[in-house]
């Protein structure tokens, strides 16, 4: 009976392990399909998860998140600019911030990162979930809109001046 119970328990463990592996595989497929960087890092700032976006942008291996150093792939200058935001998130406050960085192709990207603290049941901050989007096109579009608004205002001003001179 003990051998039978042990075999049944082992069978359940194997089935549950296979189920968890399928679930993890599906989650990886979803996060790798999203056009964004998705990661998780602990309180000590060591990564435990990065999606394929990190490989695309920086050439980092998603299978080895423990080897990732934000200071290395971002560069010291960018890292120092975002460090206060990371520190604030690790105190338990969600933060979103914009900055520029260079990807491995040398292209400068405008990006927006959101850091969401991960809390233990007792409230202790264990780490942060990270979501980073490329907002380069959005920033360029905003700049074009501002430029068009300035041109419109300039046109209205010159039209008003011309009208005033004609009325003199």
């Amino acid at each position: 009976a003990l051998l039978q119970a042990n075999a049944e328990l082992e069978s359940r463990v194997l089935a549950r392990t296979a189920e968890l592996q399928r679930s993890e595989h599906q989650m990886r497929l979803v996060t790798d399909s999203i056009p964004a960087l998705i990661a998780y890092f602990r309180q000590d700032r060591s990564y435990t998860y990065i999606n394929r976006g990190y490989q695309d942008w920086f050439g980092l291996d998603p299978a080895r998140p423990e080897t990732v150093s934000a200071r290395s792939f971002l560069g010291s200058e960018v890292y120092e600019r975002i460090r206060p935001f990371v520190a604030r998130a690790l105190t338990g406050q969600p933060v979103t911030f914009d900055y520029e960085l260079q990807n491995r192709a040398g292209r400068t990207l405008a990006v927006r990162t959101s850091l969401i603290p991960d809390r233990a049941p007792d409230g202790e901050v264990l780490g942060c979930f990270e979501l980073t989007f490329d907002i380069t096109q959005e920033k360029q579009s905003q700049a074009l809109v501002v430029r068009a608004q300035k041109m419109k205002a300039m046109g209205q001003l010159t039209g008003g001046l011309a009208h005033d001179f004609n009325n003199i």
Side-chain angles (χ1 to χ4, degrees), residues 4-92:
Q4 172 119 9
N6 191 26
E8 187 178 317
L9 182 59
E10 199 170 309
S11 173
R12 285 184 184 176
V13 167
L14 288 173
R16 183 68 177 140
T17 301
E19 186 180 319
L20 287 172
Q21 287 173 338
R22 278 191 305 277
S23 178
E24 183 179 333
H25 178 72
Q26 287 175 334
M27 186 190 82
R28 169 98 27 211
L29 282 173
V30 169
T31 61
D32 283 348
S33 299
I34 295 171
L37 302 184
I38 300 171
Y40 180 85
F41 58 89
R42 286 184 237 163
Q43 187 67 252
D44 66 359
R45 293 181 170 91
S46 63
Y47 283 85
T48 60
Y49 179 84
I50 60 173
N51 75 335
R52 194 180 70 215
Y54 278 87
Q55 185 175 30
D56 297 344
W57 283 22
F58 303 109
L60 303 173
D61 184 0
R64 303 195 56 217
E66 70 281 356
T67 64
V68 172
S69 163
R71 185 184 297 272
S72 295
F73 71 80
L74 291 174
S76 293
E77 185 180 318
V78 173
Y79 182 79
E80 289 304 319
R81 272 189 279 148
I82 69 165
R83 202 166 122 181
F85 298 107
V86 174
R88 198 163 78 207
L90 288 171
T91 65

Side-chain angles (χ1 to χ4, degrees), residues 37-157:
L37 302 184
I38 300 171
Y40 180 85
F41 58 89
R42 286 184 237 163
Q43 187 67 252
D44 66 359
R45 293 181 170 91
S46 63
Y47 283 85
T48 60
Y49 179 84
I50 60 173
N51 75 335
R52 194 180 70 215
Y54 278 87
Q55 185 175 30
D56 297 344
W57 283 22
F58 303 109
L60 303 173
D61 184 0
R64 303 195 56 217
E66 70 281 356
T67 64
V68 172
S69 163
R71 185 184 297 272
S72 295
F73 71 80
L74 291 174
S76 293
E77 185 180 318
V78 173
Y79 182 79
E80 289 304 319
R81 272 189 279 148
I82 69 165
R83 202 166 122 181
F85 298 107
V86 174
R88 198 163 78 207
L90 288 171
T91 65
Q93 186 178 2
V95 293
T96 298
F97 51 97
D98 295 352
Y99 57 104
E100 288 186 348
L101 57 79
Q102 278 197 334
N103 64 9
R104 72 178 173 167
R107 194 168 152 236
T108 299
L109 304 173
V111 299
R112 177 169 294 138
T113 294
S114 293
L115 300 175
I116 309 300
D118 176 27
R119 294 180 181 274
D122 67 359
E124 176 189 2
V125 177
L126 303 172
C128 286
F129 296 99
E130 175 186 332
L131 179 63
T132 299
F133 287 101
D134 179 356
I135 58 168
T136 305
Q137 287 182 333
E138 180 183 328
K139 291 282 189 181
Q140 290 170 344
S141 297
Q142 287 173 349
L144 288 174
V145 167
V146 167
R147 184 172 174 215
Q149 289 172 338
K150 285 181 183 177
M151 295 298 285
K152 181 180 176 184
M154 187 64 84
Q156 289 174 340
L157 178 64

